[in-house]
Amino acid sequence: MRVEVYDVDDKAEIKNLRKQEFIGAANFMMHDLIRASSQCLKLQLTDKGKKAGGVTLQVEQYDKSLSSNEAMLTIEALDVKIKSAYFYRLLRSDVSNSFFPVYQSESIRCNKGVIRWHYVKIPTATLFRDDETKLLKIELYEYSSDGNHKFLASNEFKFADLAWNYSWKSPIGKIQFRDVVVEKRASFLDYMFGGCEICLAIAVDFTSSNGDPSFKNSLHYIESTTNPYMKAIQAIGEILQVYDSDKKIPVFGFGAKLPDFDTTSHCFALNGDIFNPEINGIGGVLETYQKNLSKLKFSEPSNFAEVIRYIGDCAQWHLTSKYYYSYFVLLIITDGQISDMDETTDEIVRCSNLPLSIIITGVGDRNFSDMDCLDADTNPLRSKKLGRFSTRDIVQFVPFDKFKDDPHELAKETLAELPKQLVDYMTAMMISTVAPTTHKNGDFYASMASKLLSTFKNTPEEKNASELIEAGFPVKDMRLIKKAIRTGYQNQLNNNKCVAYSQS
């Protein structure tokens, strides 16, 4: 095994280690770490034979039975006399009762004798390995802009103690733990077992950069009975359609001219029926692809935005219907060329608030750097048009040629981010793992919209209520919903199964 340490000089290129400053490296055998005293191994870093500091490795057995619950708490300092900036670190203990850090807060300056650090969410498996009696430690520091922070004091406690308004008298004032709760975080399978519907859609790149399909150098050229696009549709489509209960898959094309049309279409139904673009199963998708390939005239430019907008609108519509317990997965198969990067970014950022994930599969050996940018694992996408960042990562890029000969790795890469993306969305929207039922007096959303408008009619909140309805009832800001509850619709909310509102 080998561990390398870098000083990050360029955060925008954090994946490109050649653009970072190499500090040093150390080699070790895994059994050295396993057999190390207290499972702690200290290594000497070297760079070109010269000593470059040290690194300490701590090993723990990974326990799959540990929950995905999250501990949430607020820490504040009261009666602070010295006006300075402070931060704290939370540390957990290991099997030898040694401590190592799991969280460091932001530095906050004292305001009128009070320091209130930001609300913290930490997985319980990270904080105390799901054992509330494990020893924890809080360390308090005075912030310094030169990095030489001053250690002030520390205190040991157990998470179980926090249920009793735990406090600690520190050198700067009283440290108070507040709003301590443990939230059960549902898993991807919880939602699947609860009845969540996965709606798979596929979009295929028919732009001229793929080459004329009648020539062998084209990615769409069918040799014998298949081509790279068909292989990608079959391999990745079969992985994803497992989660689509009805196997009716809307399939679209982009970047081609349709028969009898002289303009390039950036979103057309592959079966020719834009009002009903669904095709039965992956086998039907391949059959329809082969049947219509020769009818299309490959063109340019290569635009992704329109097809993402279409699927995003479908997801938006489902939010305001009785089918809102659905989650969309758009599979885009492309050669990697894109002409509308800004517009595509805008649509991805817009859709980050919707029940949608996008899996981009690259076929061929072209440059996929733009696809990596859209993946945004490190730096969130920012829309210049909308003036905001993506609220969550919804894009996963899969280079098909890299994994096409290993079905296991292909499946692993395809599903690498989808479960987390779905759970992140459901959690943010406070949606239960149990599928809701339709309201007995008709569609709940229509009823709720009517109630909201009547509640806030001729009030300053009327405009906000309308915007809430048009946005599909986003549950991030529940102010209006809570006000509706207070004005007499408590039973309306509790009698139905829409946990997104009743829990709030």
Side-chain angles (χ1 to χ4, degrees):
M1 304 291 292
R2 177 179 175 87
V3 56
E4 297 180 344
V5 180
Y6 291 83
D7 177 16
V8 178
D9 293 325
D10 187 352
K11 290 185 178 180
E13 294 285 342
I14 196 166
K15 286 187 177 182
N16 188 349
L17 295 180
R18 288 176 296 180
K19 293 192 176 182
Q20 317 304 337
E21 181 184 355
F22 177 72
I23 301 298
N27 298 330
F28 65 97
M29 300 295 289
M30 181 57 77
H31 66 257
D32 293 334
L33 184 58
I34 300 299
R35 298 179 63 84
S37 175
S38 301
Q39 287 76 54
C40 182
L41 182 64
K42 295 184 178 181
L43 301 173
Q44 175 70 58
L45 291 172
T46 60
D47 180 18
K48 298 178 181 178
K50 295 181 180 180
K51 292 182 178 180
V55 63
T56 301
L57 305 183
Q58 178 82 39
V59 64
E60 288 186 335
Q61 181 175 344
Y62 174 66
D63 186 353
K64 291 184 178 180
S65 68
L66 291 176
S67 74
S68 56
N69 297 348
E70 290 183 314
M72 299 179 288
L73 55 100
T74 299
I75 300 179
E76 60 185 13
L78 306 175
D79 303 322
V80 180
K81 307 299 182 185
I82 304 175
K83 291 186 177 180
S84 186
Y86 301 91
F87 68 90
Y88 68 85
R89 295 202 309 170
L90 291 177
L91 301 91
R92 83 168 189 215
S93 58
D94 59 17
V95 290
S96 64
N97 283 332
S98 298
F99 289 92
F100 60 96
V102 294
Y103 177 79
Q104 179 172 312
S105 77
E106 69 290 347
S107 60
I108 298 289
R109 186 168 292 278
C110 174
N111 181 21
K112 297 181 180 180
V114 177
I115 301 172
R116 186 168 288 111
W117 288 283
H118 295 163
Y119 195 54
V120 180
K121 294 179 71 172
I122 308 175
T124 56
T126 298
L127 187 58
F128 49 80
R129 307 295 286 174
D130 285 347
D131 179 2
E132 295 189 9
T133 63
K134 264 190 175 295
L135 210 55
L136 302 174
K137 181 189 284 189
I138 180 172
E139 293 180 343
L140 191 61
Y141 292 83
E142 183 176 0
Y143 174 80
S144 176
S145 58
D146 62 6
N148 295 317
H149 311 302
K150 182 181 178 181
F151 171 74
L152 298 175
S154 65
N155 187 56
E156 295 180 7
F157 62 97
K158 297 174 182 177
F159 189 83
D161 300 334
L162 303 185
W164 311 103
N165 295 320
Y166 182 81
S167 61
W168 162 50
K169 191 174 182 179
S170 76
I172 66 168
K174 181 182 177 182
I175 305 297
Q176 179 76 51
F177 289 76
R178 296 178 53 250
D179 306 325
V180 180
V181 295
V182 173
E183 180 184 72
K184 183 182 184 303
R185 182 175 171 85
S187 70
F188 176 74
L189 289 180
D190 288 334
Y191 285 104
M192 292 298 100
F193 295 154
C196 179
E197 293 284 344
I198 296 292
C199 303
L200 174 63
I202 299 176
V204 181
D205 183 350
F206 291 105
T207 55
S208 54
S209 59
N210 287 280
D212 188 325
S214 61
F215 293 98
K216 286 189 175 183
N217 62 349
S218 171
L219 293 169
H220 283 281
Y221 177 77
I222 298 178
E223 188 171 6
S224 297
T225 58
T226 189
N227 64 26
Y229 272 87
M230 294 176 68
K231 290 177 181 177
I233 291 172
Q234 181 161 12
I236 296 183
E238 286 183 348
I239 293 169
L240 295 173
Q241 79 164 352
V242 170
Y243 301 96
D244 191 320
S245 58
D246 64 6
K247 305 295 187 290
K248 293 181 179 180
I249 306 167
V251 184
F252 304 91
F254 60 93
K257 295 179 180 179
L258 305 180
D260 302 324
F261 288 90
D262 195 39
T263 56
T264 302
S265 174
H266 302 298
C267 182
F268 59 88
L270 194 60
N271 64 0
D273 186 355
I274 194 63
F275 297 106
N276 183 24
E278 292 182 336
I279 299 173
N280 289 325
I282 293 300
V285 173
L286 293 171
E287 183 180 337
T288 305
Y289 168 87
Q290 284 184 288
K291 178 181 177 181
N292 293 296
L293 180 62
S294 60
K295 300 177 183 178
L296 302 174
K297 184 178 180 181
F298 288 20
S299 185
E300 55 184 27
S302 180
N303 293 350
F304 288 17
E306 194 167 329
V307 71
I308 295 175
R309 184 182 305 116
Y310 184 96
I311 300 301
D313 289 344
C314 291
Q316 179 78 65
W317 180 84
H318 273 65
L319 276 179
T320 56
S321 76
K322 63 184 178 181
Y323 305 108
Y324 79 92
Y325 203 63
S326 301
Y327 193 87
F328 285 75
V329 178
L330 172 60
L331 171 62
I332 299 177
I333 306 176
T334 178
D335 68 346
Q337 183 170 312
I338 181 171
S339 307
D340 63 340
M341 191 68 174
D342 288 344
E343 291 80 2
T344 296
T345 299
D346 293 339
E347 287 304 317
I348 292 174
V349 171
R350 178 182 77 91
C351 291
S352 65
N353 287 325
L354 299 174
L356 171 64
S357 287
I358 301 170
I359 298 174
I360 302 176
T361 298
V363 294
D365 55 2
R366 306 248 172 95
N367 186 349
F368 292 113
S369 57
D370 286 337
M371 304 301 103
D372 286 323
C373 290
L374 295 176
D375 197 338
D377 284 336
T378 305
N379 299 309
L381 289 177
R382 185 181 188 279
S383 166
K384 297 177 182 177
K385 178 181 178 181
L386 301 177
R388 63 179 176 87
F389 287 95
S390 175
T391 55
R392 62 191 181 94
D393 176 21
I394 65 170
V395 178
Q396 165 74 345
F397 172 63
V398 181
F400 178 70
D401 283 18
K402 182 178 179 180
F403 303 103
K404 63 182 180 181
D405 297 323
D406 190 335
H408 174 77
E409 284 300 313
L410 180 63
K412 181 179 177 182
E413 191 71 13
T414 301
L415 299 174
E417 298 180 12
L418 176 59
K420 182 179 183 301
Q421 290 172 356
L422 183 146
V423 171
D424 283 349
Y425 171 79
M426 296 294 187
T427 302
M429 297 293 283
M430 295 181 286
I431 296 177
S432 166
T433 55
V434 180
T437 57
T438 306
H439 191 271
K440 63 182 179 181
N441 293 325
D443 184 77
F444 167 69
Y445 287 96
S447 174
M448 192 64 213
S450 174
K451 295 290 187 182
L452 275 176
L453 288 176
S454 61
T455 300
F456 301 116
K457 189 174 181 62
N458 299 324
T459 72
E461 303 289 353
E462 184 174 9
K463 180 181 177 183
N464 291 338
S466 298
E467 291 175 353
L468 185 73
I469 294 165
E470 290 175 6
F473 294 117
V475 197
K476 285 192 171 182
D477 181 2
M478 296 300 298
R479 183 169 52 87
L480 284 171
I481 300 298
K482 289 177 180 177
K483 185 171 180 180
I485 292 174
R486 288 196 298 271
T487 52
Y489 297 112
Q490 180 73 59
N491 292 334
Q492 167 74 13
L493 293 171
N494 287 344
N495 287 339
N496 66 79
K497 304 300 181 182
C498 184
V499 183
Y501 298 96
S502 62
Q503 279 188 347
S504 183

